[in-house]
Amino acid sequence: ATHGQFYGDETFGSLAWSNDNSYLMYAAEKPEYAKAMAKAKAKAKADNASSSSSSELDLESEGSITDKIEGSVARFADPRRYQLDEDWGETFSGKRPPVLVALRIADGKVHILVSPEGMSPGQALFLPGSDHRIAFVGYAHGACKPGLIYCQNRPSGLFVAPLLDSSAAECIAKGAIRSPRLTPSGSALVFLSTAPGGPHAATSALMLYDLSARCVEVIVPIVDRPSDSPLVLDGTYLPAGFPGLFANQLPHTPWLHCAENPDQELLALTTIWRSTEAVVTVDLQKRRVQRLTPVNGTAFAAVLGCTGNLLAARFSNPGAPSTLSVGRIEPT
């Protein structure tokens, strides 16, 4: 097999079409070493090269092993067979670490993208343009990998790279990064950033990376203490009682669009607000945070996705099962 099982979760999962629909990119388990080794030996044998005496077996085409075996001798096992390469724990138990995969539609050829050293990639997307550039999150690790999906404080970075040369990836933001989303105008990426280390599920900042200016700015800053009245913090309007962003991930389709205000870039997300979950919006141009769901000590609300000026959300409370609701956002 070219690779293992697919990753379809929020942490590593990636499924994106290139702008010209010539490539489909996704995340999957990297190939198992033994299978990659067997396939490389079979290829060498088919090329009339003796696998038992060959001094070099090319496993690079298999994607999982990017350096070639140099000086390997018959009857001696390659030490990489025994290298520790743990899974990411929790819901990833038993799964090999992820790699990004690009499927070329024209001929069905599969490319395993080379990950930055010491990084597990995920949450990949294509950037605007015809040059097939991508952005993805890389989670840092050593031989041992800690839990991840409930730990938003794990070190990670946001990378930009050419699709078929991800070894040339450029890190544009460091910290505990997650959930890159392209703005509707295609001019910037927004993402969540938490201070690495420290408490799990700590407050996060909403950041913006301008693709043209190549600079990062803070849209929603980290809030140290909620205010009883509305305030402007670092240029952003925050409503009364806003405790900061406590969000695991941004929705996959977070953008609201009102025909009356076509240039508005309005992002919707779910955040913990005291003892409940609330739906808030962030206006990137006005730098304004607004709570949409009413203040209710028992109700929980979570954004599922947005299209046009419609927002789908799940509502629940301790005394009733979840309900699916769709709301229409009025222009502001």
Side-chain angles (χ1 to χ4, degrees):
T2 304
H3 55 72
Q5 296 181 21
F6 294 97
Y7 273 87
D9 58 281
E10 289 186 334
T11 304
F12 293 114
S14 307
L15 186 63
W17 285 97
S18 61
N19 300 306
D20 58 3
N21 292 331
S22 61
Y23 283 95
L24 177 65
M25 179 172 55
Y26 56 90
E29 288 181 298
K30 70 178 185 180
E32 187 176 353
Y33 175 82
K35 292 181 179 179
M37 186 71 174
K39 190 171 182 180
K41 285 184 176 181
K43 182 178 183 297
K45 188 175 181 180
D47 294 338
N48 297 320
S50 174
S51 60
S52 61
S53 60
S54 174
S55 61
E56 184 176 63
L57 293 177
D58 184 4
L59 299 185
E60 188 170 9
S61 61
E62 301 309 310
S64 63
I65 303 173
T66 58
D67 57 327
K68 296 178 181 179
I69 302 174
E70 296 180 353
S72 59
V73 181
R75 300 182 303 277
F76 284 83
D78 189 299
R80 284 173 296 179
R81 183 187 298 272
Y82 308 105
Q83 285 181 348
L84 177 65
D85 195 7
E86 287 190 335
D87 58 44
W88 276 99
E90 296 166 335
T91 60
F92 304 119
S93 295
K95 295 189 72 171
R96 294 189 298 279
V99 291
L100 294 178
V101 183
L103 171 65
R104 189 162 62 194
I105 302 302
D107 56 10
K109 186 174 182 180
V110 174
H111 299 268
I112 306 294
L113 309 186
V114 179
S115 305
E117 184 68 24
M119 293 285 178
S120 287
Q123 302 185 9
L125 68 159
F126 281 93
L127 298 177
S130 58
D131 53 353
H132 295 150
R133 291 180 62 81
I134 63 172
F136 62 91
V137 174
Y139 291 93
H141 64 80
C144 299
K145 300 179 181 67
L148 187 62
I149 63 170
Y150 305 116
C151 313
Q152 297 86 2
N153 57 346
R154 302 303 188 200
S156 58
L158 182 59
F159 294 84
V160 172
L163 174 64
L164 300 182
D165 187 17
S166 52
S167 61
E170 174 191 2
C171 184
I172 60 176
K174 293 182 179 180
I177 308 297
R178 62 194 184 279
S179 291
R181 301 290 186 265
L182 190 66
T183 59
S185 64
S187 62
L189 289 168
V190 295
F191 56 93
L192 294 171
S193 177
T194 306
H200 295 207
T203 181
S204 301
L206 182 68
M207 314 293 289
L208 181 142
Y209 176 76
D210 190 304
L211 293 170
S212 298
R214 297 169 62 88
C215 62
V216 178
E217 63 176 304
V218 179
I219 299 298
V220 180
I222 289 178
V223 177
D224 293 325
R225 184 179 297 273
S227 172
D228 293 334
S229 57
L231 81 157
V232 176
L233 181 62
D234 296 340
T236 300
Y237 172 87
L238 306 177
F242 178 65
L245 292 177
F246 290 85
N248 184 28
Q249 304 285 348
L250 296 177
H252 286 288
T253 54
W255 301 105
L256 289 162
H257 175 77
C258 296
E260 295 82 357
N261 192 355
D263 295 329
Q264 184 183 41
E265 294 186 324
L266 194 64
L267 181 144
L269 71 152
T270 306
T271 182
I272 296 174
W273 193 306
R274 297 181 66 88
S275 61
T276 65
E277 286 184 331
V279 175
V280 300
T281 58
V282 180
D283 190 318
L284 299 190
Q285 282 76 25
K286 295 180 180 179
R287 297 175 67 98
R288 181 183 181 91
V289 178
Q290 181 179 359
R291 177 170 177 156
L292 296 185
T293 49
V295 179
N296 185 318
T298 61
F300 290 77
V303 177
L304 301 178
C306 305
T307 180
N309 65 340
L310 299 178
L311 182 150
R314 182 185 71 248
F315 287 86
S316 65
N317 65 64
S322 298
T323 58
L324 175 64
S325 301
V326 177
R328 188 183 304 275
I329 307 301
E330 299 297 331
T332 57

